[in-house]
């Protein structure tokens, strides 16, 4: 088992026949959800789109207030910490579907697209930090900083870069065979863990900060390969003139977030409640400075017996 995955793997569940090394089979689920994956066979079939514009005036003030104790803190870190906290309270978001079956991921991680330099021909790489469900904002900043330091240096290749380059040397017929084999092995839970460790498509959330290059947010499709059930695209900062109830004009700074979600892992009400919970966390970022009071466990998976 990869050391990083083992370090952050959840300890709440008991392994049973039919589980995967990266997730547990969800068995306690409504009959409708047992059937839906057989009709909506791919993530492309099951994509739902959601957008939300969040006010960041108070987040900028929060960053300035806590810069001394968390020097590298940015709004991006707050958003990531809010996602970690959200998944700790809404565990069904951390599910995925493979071969018509629903699984609960046994860890939490994010794939984040990072450009090594802000030029048209600047290399782009991907980092995949892991998090504990009890992580605070400071923990999140530290983990991301460690990943970026290892991967952001120009010319340094991470695992995903090396695998992609290696596959790129194969002639078309061999590459096609290799990719089809990986798809099949992933379906039956036997894909080599070397590929799993470097694959950005095997993650809880895929996050891209489009705003860092001055572009507004987009709806980015989910990938068929892998297990990612949520893609989040962050747009550029926007300033708008608004009026309050008394007719006074004020400036509001905001970011547009666009989500693409796999509707097979949970119902629309659960997603809607989760988005409201996400907004509440962002409205009160101080809650991220301390661990959550409790971590909610996915009810669809059999727990390990407590001795």
């Amino acid at each position: 088992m990869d050391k990083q995955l083992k370090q952050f793997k959840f300890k709440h569940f008991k392994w049973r026949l039919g589980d995967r090394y990266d997730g547990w089979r969800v068995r306690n689920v409504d009959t409708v959800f047992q059937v839906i994956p057989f009709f909506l066979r791919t993530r492309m079939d099951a994509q739902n789109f959601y957008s939300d514009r969040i006010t960041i005036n108070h987040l900028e003030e929060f960053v300035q207030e806590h810069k001394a104790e968390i020097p590298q803190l940015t709004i991006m870190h707050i958003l990531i910490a809010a996602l970690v906290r959200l998944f700790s309270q809404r565990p069904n978001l951390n599910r995925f579907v493979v071969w018509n079956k629903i699984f609960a991921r046994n860890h939490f991680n994010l794939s984040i697209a990072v450009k090594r330099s802000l030029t048209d021909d600047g290399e782009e790489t991907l980092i995949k930090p892991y998090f504990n469900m009890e992580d605070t904002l400071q923990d999140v900043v530290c983990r991301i900083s460690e990943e970026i330091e290892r991967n952001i240096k120009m010319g340094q290749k991470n695992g995903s870069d090396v695998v992609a380059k290696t596959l790129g040397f194969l002639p078309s017929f061999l590459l096609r065979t290799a990719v089809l084999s990986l798809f099949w092995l992933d379906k039956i839970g036997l894909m080599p863990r070397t590929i799993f460790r470097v694959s950005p498509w095997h993650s809880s959330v895929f996050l891209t900060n489009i705003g860092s290059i001055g572009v507004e947010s987009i709806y980015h499709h989910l990938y068929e390969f892998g297990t990612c059930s949520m893609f989040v695209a962050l747009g550029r900062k926007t300033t708008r003139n608004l009026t309050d109830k008394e007719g006074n004009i004020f400036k509001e700074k905001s970011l547009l977030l666009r989500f693409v979600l796999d509707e097979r892992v949970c119902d629309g009400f659960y997603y809607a409640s989760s988005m409201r919970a996400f907004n509440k966390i962002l409205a009160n970022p101080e809650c991220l400075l301390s661990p959550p009071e409790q971590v909610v466990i996915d009810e669809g998976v059999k727990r390990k017996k407590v001795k």
Side-chain angles (χ1 to χ4, degrees):
M1 173 64 68
D2 173 68
K3 289 183 179 179
Q4 192 178 33
L5 176 59
K6 190 173 183 179
Q7 177 185 356
F8 293 100
K9 199 171 182 180
F10 300 165
K11 309 298 182 185
H12 311 292
F13 306 125
K14 182 178 180 179
W15 190 91
R16 298 175 64 184
L17 186 65
D19 295 341
R20 293 163 53 97
Y21 63 76
D22 57 344
W24 288 276
R25 175 80 183 277
V26 175
R27 294 174 171 86
N28 181 24
V29 66
D30 292 340
T31 306
V32 173
F33 277 90
Q34 291 178 352
V35 173
I36 284 178
F38 288 87
F39 286 94
L40 303 179
R41 293 179 295 173
T42 68
R43 292 189 184 90
M44 298 294 285
D45 287 338
Q47 287 181 144
N48 277 339
F49 304 89
Y50 173 79
S51 66
D52 193 13
R53 184 172 290 279
I54 60 169
T55 302
I56 61 170
N57 298 64
H58 68 293
L59 295 181
E60 290 187 337
E61 293 173 3
F62 179 84
V63 169
Q64 292 304 317
E65 182 181 348
H66 295 276
K67 269 287 188 182
E69 57 189 279
I70 314 176
Q72 297 174 306
L73 180 62
T74 66
I75 290 177
M76 182 75 166
H77 291 119
I78 298 175
L79 291 173
I80 293 173
L83 284 171
V84 176
R85 186 61 50 87
L86 176 66
F87 275 64
S88 76
Q89 305 303 303
R90 310 291 291 174
N92 292 12
L93 297 176
N94 207 16
R95 293 176 175 181
F96 60 91
V97 177
V98 173
W99 211 7
N100 314 117
K101 301 178 183 67
I102 302 176
F103 295 86
R105 193 174 277 100
N106 58 23
H107 58 279
F108 179 82
N109 60 356
L110 278 84
S111 291
I112 308 173
V114 178
K115 280 187 77 69
R116 288 195 171 107
S117 63
L118 297 180
T119 61
D120 288 343
D121 57 352
E123 270 190 288
E124 186 176 87
T125 190
L126 292 155
I127 61 174
K128 194 166 76 167
Y130 287 73
F131 302 94
N132 288 315
M133 292 288 88
E134 299 85 1
D135 278 351
T136 64
L137 178 59
Q138 188 156 19
D139 295 326
V140 169
V141 173
C142 290
R143 298 198 200 287
I144 294 174
S145 298
E146 290 170 0
E147 284 292 318
I148 290 178
E149 286 176 8
R150 282 200 295 264
N151 292 280
I152 202 66
K153 294 179 182 179
M154 183 66 72
Q156 179 178 328
K157 301 293 183 183
N158 61 21
S160 60
D161 295 331
V162 172
V163 171
K165 188 173 181 180
T166 302
L167 291 174
F169 281 124
L170 297 176
S172 296
F173 74 96
L174 285 180
L175 178 58
R176 189 176 296 110
T177 301
V179 171
L180 288 174
S181 298
L182 289 176
F183 265 95
W184 177 252
L185 290 171
D186 196 24
K187 280 185 177 182
I188 60 177
L190 295 177
M191 189 181 70
R193 297 188 187 189
T194 303
I195 302 297
F196 169 81
R197 287 196 297 268
V198 302
S199 168
W201 305 293
H202 291 79
S203 60
S204 305
V205 181
F206 203 119
L207 177 65
T208 182
N209 183 7
I210 303 293
S212 64
I213 55 175
V215 178
E216 191 51 281
S217 181
I218 63 169
Y219 291 112
H220 194 292
H221 63 87
L222 297 174
Y223 298 99
E224 287 307 321
F225 182 63
T227 58
C228 184
S229 299
M230 179 183 294
F231 202 113
V232 183
L234 171 64
R236 64 189 176 190
K237 292 182 182 180
T238 301
T239 302
R240 301 183 297 173
N241 291 322
L242 301 177
T243 56
D244 58 22
K245 294 180 180 179
E246 288 73 33
N248 301 313
I249 299 175
F250 66 96
K251 292 184 181 296
E252 180 196 69
K253 293 182 180 179
S254 64
L255 291 173
L256 180 62
L257 297 178
R258 284 194 166 126
F259 299 78
V260 180
L261 312 164
D262 186 341
E263 71 167 316
R264 299 173 298 175
V265 300
C266 56
D267 59 39
F269 182 81
Y270 193 94
Y271 269 132
S273 301
S274 299
M275 291 302 105
R276 288 195 295 270
F278 185 61
N279 284 328
K280 287 181 181 179
I281 295 170
L282 291 176
N284 180 34
E286 288 79 10
C287 71
L288 299 173
L289 296 174
S290 55
E293 293 182 4
Q294 66 170 347
V295 174
V296 180
I297 307 303
D298 193 316
E299 75 282 359
V301 182
K302 186 175 181 180
R303 291 197 190 190
K304 181 182 290 185
K305 293 181 180 179
V306 180
K307 295 182 180 180

